[in-house]
Amino acid sequence: PNAAGWNSSDVTVSFSCSDATSGVASCPSPTTVSTEGANQAITGTATDRAGNSASTSVTLSIDKTPPVVTASAAPAPNAAGWNDSDVTVAFTCTDGLSGVASCLSAMTLTAEGANQTVPGTASDLAGNSASTSVTLSIDKTPPSVTAVFSPAPNAAGWNNTDVRVTFEAQDALSGVVSVSPPVEIATEGRDQVVGGSATDMAGNVELATAVVNVDKTVPRVVLSAPEDGAVRRVGRVEVRGTASDDNALASVAVNGIDAGLGAEFTVEVPLAEEGPHTLTAIATDVAGNVGSASVGVVYSA
């Protein structure tokens, strides 16, 4: 037996007999004990030729059955087999005969990764051992979410048509399981917030927001001078008017000449040749909408 008094296999008991006077008449043959159990007494009797007898015994404890070891994970994985936090693995060990000699202590797994194996081993007092393992997949990192505009805004961050905002998501470990559906923005306005989200297979959720600026209304342009059809005797004309927009203007020009961004403008436009000329004021807002107004004059020197 081992130091704990147990055997983990069949045991052969042999008897040695001696008699100094008449001699040994019978001595027990070796006996192999295969039955599991504690404190089994094995007895042998010897007889000499004079008819005297003597007995002895040995006590055996045999356990050939390994212990039972089970592993449990807390918290348990979700239906997809993933955890989104650290997981503690605990081992439960039982032995119905000699008793548990060692059982692995609980451990906490913090590393992210798929199909991570955590093994555990138990042994009984007879020296039998058994092992088990639990496989864990941990993803604590939310997916990444990006809002994509269609059409894309201009350099100033504005759209002058309806906008479709689509949310695109990626997840490097467990994978994306759901993403918010696209959102259509048709209402004009500044700083319209659109929200979306993505969820991975581990249950991690990431939120995303997009700010949409929509202006579909063209600027208002009014020319106050000169009068339409006016005749000019000199090769230039002063053009006056107003330009306005509910948001902001990006440019105002009359026949290509910059008129500034004030509410009122005055621009002198040259008339290079005699004859009719069209004077056109064009205002462009930050969304790219274009408004215009025109008058005609005649240059007659």
Side-chain angles (χ1 to χ4, degrees), residues 132-144:
T132 190
S133 64
V134 61
T135 300
L136 301 175
S137 295
I138 298 177
D139 180 1
K140 298 183 285 186
T141 304
S144 60

Side-chain angles (χ1 to χ4, degrees), residues 13-119:
V13 180
S14 299
F15 297 93
S16 297
C17 307
S18 63
D19 188 270
T21 307
S22 62
V24 175
S26 66
C27 185
S29 300
T31 298
T32 298
V33 182
S34 60
T35 304
E36 293 184 283
N39 301 316
Q40 303 177 69
I42 308 300
T43 302
T45 301
T47 305
D48 64 14
R49 290 177 181 174
N52 301 299
S53 63
S55 297
T56 190
S57 65
V58 65
T59 299
L60 301 178
S61 295
I62 299 176
D63 180 1
K64 298 184 288 185
T65 303
V68 176
V69 54
T70 57
S72 61
N78 63 14
W82 283 88
N83 285 86
D84 62 357
S85 64
D86 298 345
V87 180
T88 297
V89 180
F91 297 94
T92 302
C93 307
T94 59
D95 189 87
L97 193 48
S98 62
V100 175
S102 66
C103 185
L104 191 66
S105 299
M107 62 177 63
T108 299
L109 191 65
T110 62
E112 293 185 284
N115 300 319
Q116 302 180 72
T117 300
V118 181

Side-chain angles (χ1 to χ4, degrees), residues 22-245:
S22 62
V24 175
S26 66
C27 185
S29 300
T31 298
T32 298
V33 182
S34 60
T35 304
E36 293 184 283
N39 301 316
Q40 303 177 69
I42 308 300
T43 302
T45 301
T47 305
D48 64 14
R49 290 177 181 174
N52 301 299
S53 63
S55 297
T56 190
S57 65
V58 65
T59 299
L60 301 178
S61 295
I62 299 176
D63 180 1
K64 298 184 288 185
T65 303
V68 176
V69 54
T70 57
S72 61
N78 63 14
W82 283 88
N83 285 86
D84 62 357
S85 64
D86 298 345
V87 180
T88 297
V89 180
F91 297 94
T92 302
C93 307
T94 59
D95 189 87
L97 193 48
S98 62
V100 175
S102 66
C103 185
L104 191 66
S105 299
M107 62 177 63
T108 299
L109 191 65
T110 62
E112 293 185 284
N115 300 319
Q116 302 180 72
T117 300
V118 181
T121 301
S123 61
D124 61 20
L125 289 169
N128 302 297
S129 63
S131 298
T132 190
S133 64
V134 61
T135 300
L136 301 175
S137 295
I138 298 177
D139 180 1
K140 298 183 285 186
T141 304
S144 60
V145 189
T146 304
V148 179
F149 290 38
S150 180
N154 63 16
W158 283 86
N159 286 85
N160 59 15
T161 62
D162 295 350
V163 181
R164 180 182 177 91
V165 181
T166 302
F167 294 95
E168 297 180 353
Q170 293 181 331
D171 190 88
L173 190 50
S174 62
V176 176
V177 68
S178 66
V179 184
S180 295
V183 179
E184 304 286 344
I185 305 297
T187 304
E188 291 186 278
R190 178 191 295 271
D191 296 333
Q192 302 180 69
V193 178
V194 180
S197 65
T199 305
D200 63 21
M201 294 189 70
N204 299 296
V205 179
E206 183 71 2
L207 304 178
T209 58
V211 177
V212 182
N213 300 309
V214 178
D215 178 3
K216 297 184 283 185
T217 303
V218 301
R220 296 173 292 276
V221 182
V222 177
L223 292 178
S224 57
E227 293 183 1
D228 190 36
V231 177
R232 302 296 297 173
R233 302 300 182 185
V234 295
R236 61 186 179 279
V237 60
E238 186 178 80
V239 179
R240 296 191 302 274
T242 60
S244 61
D245 190 85

